[in-house]
Every structure is written in structure tokens, then in C-alpha cells.
Amino acid sequence: MNSVLCHLEEVLCWTVLAPLVRARRRRNERKITQELHDRQRIDRVLNDIVRQHADLLC
């Protein structure tokens, strides 16, 4: 189903619906970017906690 949706999206890029397809792609990219950024921040915080309190984890 996902590949069908991708193919349909590719076809729609060449029609008058292209601005809508671009907006959808931008929204998806923004969502993925935010998730990656959040993961990086969480990883940094957890690494700091482990580094500062490693003696309690033994």
C-alpha cells in the first residue's frame, strides 16, 4: 500500500496538485526532523545522567 501511495504521489507531482504534494512532503520531512532532534536531545540527557551517576548503576 505504501509503495502505491508513493507512486501516486510521484504522478501527482506533475499535475495541478503539485503544491499539495510538496506541502505534504515538507510536513513529513519536518516531522521526521523533529523526531530525530528529540532523540538526539534525549540521548544527550541520558548520557549525561549515566556519566554523572555511573556509581549508582553498579
Side-chain angles (χ1 to χ4, degrees):
M1 181 64 187
N2 196 16
S3 68
V4 173
L5 185 60
C6 288
H7 288 298
L8 180 63
E9 194 175 71
E10 290 294 324
V11 170
L12 290 176
C13 281
W14 297 97
T15 66
V16 294
L17 298 175
L20 297 175
V21 173
R22 275 188 242 118
R24 181 179 183 274
R25 287 181 177 176
R26 269 188 241 117
R27 188 172 48 244
N28 286 341
E29 289 174 357
R30 195 175 314 120
K31 181 179 136 188
I32 291 170
T33 303
Q34 288 174 346
E35 288 175 0
L36 289 174
H37 181 70
D38 289 344
R39 285 181 188 167
Q40 289 173 349
R41 286 188 349 205
I42 291 168
D43 283 346
R44 266 186 266 134
V45 169
L46 290 176
N47 286 336
D48 286 344
I49 291 170
V50 169
R51 187 175 37 80
Q52 292 175 3
H53 302 287
D55 57 328
L56 299 175
L57 297 174
C58 292

XYZ file of all heavy atoms in Angstrom:
488
model
N 0.825 -1.198 0.000
C 0.000 0.000 0.000
C 0.861 1.250 0.000
O 0.563 2.206 -0.688
C -0.921 -0.041 1.222
C -1.848 1.140 1.344
S -2.994 1.167 -0.033
C -3.784 2.716 0.231
N 1.933 1.206 0.772
C 2.785 2.368 0.869
C 3.457 2.683 -0.467
O 3.590 3.844 -0.834
C 3.828 2.174 1.967
C 4.478 3.471 2.366
O 3.973 4.548 2.063
N 5.596 3.368 3.031
N 3.874 1.648 -1.195
C 4.520 1.893 -2.484
C 3.515 2.446 -3.497
O 3.872 3.273 -4.332
C 5.167 0.619 -3.011
O 4.187 -0.326 -3.349
N 2.272 2.005 -3.405
C 1.236 2.536 -4.289
C 1.031 4.016 -4.003
O 0.922 4.832 -4.924
C -0.093 1.752 -4.115
C -1.214 2.412 -4.901
C 0.085 0.310 -4.513
N 1.020 4.370 -2.720
C 0.863 5.765 -2.330
C 2.048 6.607 -2.820
O 1.866 7.724 -3.303
C 0.732 5.884 -0.808
C 0.453 7.262 -0.252
C -0.851 7.822 -0.789
C 0.430 7.213 1.263
N 3.240 6.049 -2.738
C 4.431 6.766 -3.234
C 4.351 6.986 -4.741
O 4.679 8.071 -5.230
C 5.690 5.991 -2.883
S 6.094 6.029 -1.140
N 3.929 5.974 -5.448
C 3.810 6.109 -6.905
C 2.729 7.131 -7.268
O 2.915 7.935 -8.180
C 3.490 4.758 -7.555
C 4.641 3.811 -7.554
N 5.820 4.066 -8.213
C 4.790 2.614 -6.959
C 6.647 3.062 -8.029
N 6.045 2.161 -7.257
N 1.643 7.086 -6.560
C 0.571 8.051 -6.804
C 1.052 9.465 -6.515
O 0.764 10.396 -7.272
C -0.645 7.712 -5.936
C -1.853 8.636 -6.076
C -2.406 8.582 -7.499
C -2.916 8.249 -5.071
N 1.802 9.611 -5.445
C 2.351 10.920 -5.101
C 3.299 11.422 -6.197
O 3.295 12.603 -6.536
C 3.076 10.807 -3.765
C 3.408 12.115 -3.136
C 4.004 11.904 -1.757
O 5.156 11.417 -1.666
O 3.319 12.237 -0.781
N 4.114 10.526 -6.732
C 5.028 10.895 -7.815
C 4.259 11.361 -9.046
O 4.639 12.318 -9.717
C 5.937 9.723 -8.175
C 6.951 9.379 -7.132
C 7.979 10.482 -6.931
O 8.357 11.152 -7.914
O 8.385 10.673 -5.773
N 3.177 10.691 -9.364
C 2.364 11.069 -10.519
C 1.707 12.427 -10.279
O 1.658 13.278 -11.169
C 1.300 9.982 -10.810
C 0.308 10.452 -11.836
C 1.974 8.700 -11.259
N 1.217 12.635 -9.064
C 0.541 13.891 -8.757
C 1.491 15.087 -8.780
O 1.051 16.228 -8.891
C -0.152 13.799 -7.396
C -1.358 12.875 -7.335
C -1.887 12.796 -5.909
C -2.448 13.337 -8.278
N 2.785 14.831 -8.672
C 3.763 15.930 -8.733
C 3.733 16.648 -10.081
O 4.195 17.779 -10.191
C 5.169 15.391 -8.499
S 5.518 15.106 -6.785
N 3.225 15.982 -11.080
C 3.215 16.552 -12.422
C 1.853 17.127 -12.795
O 1.589 17.393 -13.960
C 3.642 15.496 -13.435
C 5.033 15.043 -13.184
C 5.428 13.940 -12.497
C 6.234 15.719 -13.557
N 6.793 13.870 -12.432
C 7.316 14.949 -13.081
C 6.503 16.895 -14.262
C 8.637 15.326 -13.281
C 7.821 17.256 -14.458
C 8.861 16.481 -13.972
N 0.996 17.306 -11.812
C -0.338 17.832 -12.073
C -0.514 19.149 -11.323
O 0.414 19.656 -10.697
C -1.420 16.832 -11.599
O -1.370 16.720 -10.184
C -1.234 15.472 -12.242
N -1.717 19.672 -11.372
C -2.004 20.922 -10.660
C -2.012 20.697 -9.142
O -2.029 21.660 -8.381
C -3.364 21.523 -11.100
C -3.302 21.948 -12.551
C -4.492 20.552 -10.862
N -1.978 19.460 -8.720
C -1.947 19.140 -7.289
C -0.527 19.141 -6.715
O -0.332 18.819 -5.538
C -2.600 17.784 -7.042
C -4.080 17.683 -7.422
C -4.564 16.262 -7.245
C -4.908 18.638 -6.602
N 0.448 19.524 -7.507
C 1.841 19.518 -7.061
C 2.067 20.341 -5.791
O 2.804 19.892 -4.905
C 2.751 20.001 -8.189
N 1.470 21.532 -5.648
C 1.681 22.277 -4.391
C 1.203 21.505 -3.155
O 1.834 21.570 -2.093
C 0.869 23.555 -4.583
C 0.789 23.731 -6.051
C 0.746 22.343 -6.617
N 0.127 20.769 -3.285
C -0.364 19.971 -2.161
C 0.594 18.830 -1.834
O 0.832 18.523 -0.663
C -1.751 19.415 -2.474
C -2.866 20.438 -2.675
C -4.142 19.751 -3.103
C -3.072 21.236 -1.411
N 1.134 18.209 -2.860
C 2.082 17.116 -2.656
C 3.343 17.652 -1.994
O 3.871 17.047 -1.052
C 2.419 16.422 -3.993
C 3.526 15.408 -3.823
C 1.172 15.774 -4.576
N 3.824 18.802 -2.453
C 5.017 19.409 -1.856
C 4.785 19.755 -0.393
O 5.660 19.528 0.455
C 5.434 20.658 -2.628
C 6.306 20.338 -3.804
C 6.856 21.615 -4.411
N 6.344 21.689 -5.758
C 5.565 22.641 -6.242
N 5.219 23.659 -5.504
N 5.141 22.586 -7.483
N 3.621 20.290 -0.088
C 3.300 20.648 1.294
C 3.268 19.404 2.172
O 3.761 19.411 3.306
C 1.967 21.382 1.347
N 2.706 18.338 1.655
C 2.648 17.078 2.418
C 4.051 16.545 2.667
O 4.369 16.096 3.767
C 1.819 16.047 1.656
C 1.673 14.731 2.363
C 0.803 13.760 1.561
N 0.609 12.522 2.257
C 1.450 11.491 2.194
N 2.510 11.557 1.449
N 1.202 10.386 2.867
N 4.890 16.583 1.649
C 6.261 16.103 1.806
C 7.027 16.955 2.816
O 7.781 16.422 3.638
C 6.992 16.113 0.463
C 6.537 15.016 -0.458
C 7.289 15.057 -1.757
N 6.891 13.965 -2.615
C 7.341 13.809 -3.857
N 8.181 14.684 -4.375
N 6.930 12.795 -4.578
N 6.874 18.267 2.743
C 7.531 19.161 3.699
C 7.084 18.856 5.124
O 7.892 18.839 6.050
C 7.245 20.623 3.376
C 8.284 21.223 2.459
C 8.070 22.720 2.332
N 7.818 22.977 0.921
C 6.712 23.470 0.418
N 5.727 23.835 1.188
N 6.581 23.644 -0.875
N 5.787 18.622 5.305
C 5.250 18.314 6.627
C 5.859 17.010 7.155
O 6.256 16.928 8.319
C 3.730 18.227 6.556
C 3.045 18.107 7.885
C 1.536 18.204 7.795
N 0.956 17.356 6.759
C 0.308 17.806 5.683
N 0.143 19.095 5.497
N -0.187 16.968 4.794
N 5.950 16.001 6.290
C 6.554 14.720 6.699
C 8.027 14.889 7.040
O 8.520 14.334 8.028
C 6.396 13.673 5.603
C 4.984 13.144 5.505
O 4.201 13.279 6.438
N 4.653 12.566 4.374
N 8.754 15.661 6.227
C 10.172 15.892 6.497
C 10.353 16.633 7.815
O 11.260 16.317 8.594
C 10.810 16.682 5.362
C 10.979 15.893 4.087
C 11.472 16.746 2.939
O 11.638 17.977 3.111
O 11.691 16.184 1.853
N 9.513 17.624 8.076
C 9.595 18.393 9.311
C 9.336 17.487 10.518
O 10.035 17.561 11.530
C 8.593 19.546 9.287
C 8.842 20.591 10.334
C 7.902 21.783 10.207
N 7.788 22.264 8.831
C 6.637 22.311 8.135
N 5.516 21.935 8.688
N 6.621 22.749 6.905
N 8.353 16.605 10.390
C 8.022 15.683 11.481
C 9.192 14.748 11.773
O 9.577 14.550 12.934
C 6.778 14.877 11.113
C 6.334 13.905 12.162
C 5.089 13.177 11.693
C 5.231 11.720 12.015
N 4.203 10.885 11.460
N 9.786 14.192 10.725
C 10.917 13.282 10.888
C 12.111 14.016 11.489
O 12.784 13.502 12.395
C 11.287 12.632 9.534
C 10.181 11.665 9.121
C 12.628 11.908 9.623
C 10.307 11.155 7.700
N 12.355 15.236 11.026
C 13.460 16.031 11.544
C 13.264 16.340 13.022
O 14.207 16.237 13.816
C 13.597 17.336 10.747
O 13.779 17.013 9.374
C 14.774 18.153 11.224
N 12.064 16.694 13.416
C 11.786 16.974 14.822
C 11.988 15.733 15.682
O 12.537 15.816 16.788
C 10.362 17.502 14.988
C 10.179 18.907 14.485
C 8.721 19.346 14.523
O 7.812 18.533 14.678
N 8.502 20.642 14.368
N 11.553 14.586 15.191
C 11.735 13.341 15.936
C 13.216 13.020 16.118
O 13.646 12.624 17.203
C 11.033 12.191 15.237
C 9.536 12.234 15.335
C 8.855 11.137 14.538
O 9.557 10.328 13.896
O 7.609 11.097 14.559
N 14.009 13.196 15.059
C 15.448 12.944 15.161
C 16.100 13.907 16.143
O 16.954 13.511 16.947
C 16.105 13.050 13.789
C 15.798 11.932 12.810
C 16.388 12.238 11.437
C 16.307 10.609 13.326
N 15.702 15.162 16.090
C 16.252 16.156 17.007
C 15.896 15.807 18.451
O 16.745 15.894 19.353
C 15.724 17.550 16.649
C 16.260 18.627 17.521
N 17.569 19.038 17.474
C 15.658 19.371 18.479
C 17.752 19.991 18.365
N 16.601 20.215 18.993
N 14.664 15.390 18.681
C 14.243 14.998 20.028
C 15.036 13.796 20.521
O 15.454 13.748 21.686
C 12.748 14.685 20.060
C 11.889 15.918 19.919
O 12.406 17.036 20.089
O 10.682 15.758 19.619
N 15.266 12.824 19.652
C 16.049 11.650 20.038
C 17.474 12.040 20.423
O 18.033 11.509 21.384
C 16.096 10.636 18.895
C 14.820 9.879 18.706
C 14.953 8.881 17.587
N 13.682 8.279 17.275
C 13.447 7.564 16.204
N 14.419 7.348 15.332
N 12.255 7.060 15.985
N 18.065 12.945 19.651
C 19.420 13.387 19.959
C 19.475 14.093 21.313
O 20.401 13.874 22.103
C 19.945 14.312 18.869
C 20.244 13.610 17.568
C 20.607 14.577 16.458
O 20.449 15.786 16.590
N 21.088 14.049 15.341
N 18.488 14.939 21.588
C 18.453 15.641 22.878
C 18.273 14.646 24.022
O 18.938 14.757 25.057
C 17.326 16.657 22.909
C 17.621 17.872 22.085
C 16.610 18.969 22.258
N 15.415 18.565 22.985
C 14.239 19.151 22.873
N 14.091 20.161 22.073
N 13.203 18.733 23.575
N 17.392 13.684 23.853
C 17.165 12.674 24.889
C 18.435 11.860 25.114
O 18.811 11.582 26.254
C 15.971 11.773 24.520
C 14.673 12.579 24.599
C 15.910 10.551 25.417
C 13.473 11.884 23.983
N 19.110 11.477 24.034
C 20.359 10.725 24.159
C 21.401 11.517 24.940
O 22.099 10.967 25.798
C 20.918 10.356 22.785
C 20.193 9.193 22.145
O 19.446 8.498 22.862
O 20.380 8.987 20.929
N 21.516 12.819 24.640
C 22.478 13.654 25.361
C 22.157 13.702 26.853
O 23.047 13.568 27.694
C 22.502 15.074 24.792
C 23.575 15.258 23.739
C 23.661 16.701 23.311
N 22.813 16.819 22.126
C 21.933 17.775 21.902
N 21.780 18.746 22.753
N 21.209 17.772 20.812
N 20.890 13.885 27.178
C 20.483 13.962 28.585
C 20.756 12.640 29.289
O 21.315 12.616 30.398
C 18.993 14.359 28.706
C 18.499 14.177 30.123
C 18.780 15.786 28.244
N 20.383 11.538 28.673
C 20.617 10.235 29.286
C 22.101 9.940 29.446
O 22.526 9.396 30.472
C 19.937 9.132 28.475
C 18.412 9.112 28.535
C 17.869 8.034 27.615
C 17.911 8.912 29.943
N 22.900 10.304 28.465
C 24.346 10.102 28.575
C 24.926 10.928 29.708
O 25.820 10.467 30.428
C 25.041 10.422 27.257
C 24.821 9.354 26.212
O 24.552 8.207 26.533
N 24.922 9.741 24.946
N 24.467 12.151 29.881
C 24.922 12.982 30.991
C 24.542 12.360 32.332
O 25.343 12.338 33.272
C 24.338 14.393 30.903
C 24.976 15.229 29.813
O 26.061 14.843 29.327
O 24.377 16.264 29.458
N 23.326 11.851 32.428
C 22.876 11.217 33.668
C 23.735 9.990 33.982
O 24.188 9.807 35.123
C 21.384 10.831 33.588
C 20.522 12.094 33.574
C 20.996 9.908 34.737
C 19.064 11.834 33.264
N 23.973 9.166 32.974
C 24.789 7.967 33.192
C 26.209 8.354 33.569
O 26.812 7.758 34.477
C 24.786 7.076 31.916
C 25.827 5.986 32.007
C 23.403 6.482 31.708
N 26.757 9.357 32.920
C 28.129 9.791 33.227
C 28.224 10.322 34.653
O 29.166 10.014 35.384
C 28.557 10.863 32.231
C 30.023 11.260 32.367
C 30.479 12.230 31.289
N 29.512 13.212 30.881
C 29.238 14.355 31.551
N 29.874 14.630 32.656
N 28.334 15.213 31.093
N 27.244 11.097 35.078
C 27.294 11.723 36.399
C 26.952 10.744 37.520
O 27.391 10.906 38.651
C 26.344 12.906 36.458
C 26.769 14.066 35.601
C 25.748 15.184 35.593
O 24.742 15.118 36.278
N 26.011 16.219 34.795
N 26.164 9.727 37.218
C 25.699 8.820 38.257
C 26.045 7.364 37.952
O 25.296 6.451 38.324
C 24.173 8.969 38.436
C 23.758 10.362 38.775
N 23.976 10.906 40.011
C 23.157 11.318 38.018
C 23.511 12.153 40.012
N 23.014 12.426 38.820
N 27.166 7.146 37.326
C 27.562 5.783 36.969
C 27.772 4.919 38.199
O 27.532 3.710 38.162
C 28.829 5.818 36.139
N 28.178 5.533 39.299
C 28.415 4.764 40.523
C 27.120 4.162 41.076
O 27.150 3.145 41.762
C 29.087 5.634 41.578
C 28.265 6.870 41.902
O 27.578 7.372 40.988
O 28.314 7.337 43.052
N 25.992 4.751 40.783
C 24.738 4.229 41.277
C 24.188 3.087 40.420
O 23.237 2.410 40.831
C 23.681 5.348 41.320
C 24.019 6.532 42.224
C 22.940 7.607 42.077
C 24.111 6.083 43.670
N 24.750 2.891 39.244
C 24.247 1.866 38.336
C 24.901 0.508 38.539
O 24.487 -0.470 37.937
C 24.459 2.322 36.889
C 23.701 3.583 36.477
C 24.123 3.995 35.068
C 22.204 3.357 36.546
N 25.906 0.430 39.373
C 26.627 -0.843 39.591
C 25.830 -1.816 40.396
O 24.967 -1.663 41.082
C 27.952 -0.594 40.269
S 29.085 0.274 39.205
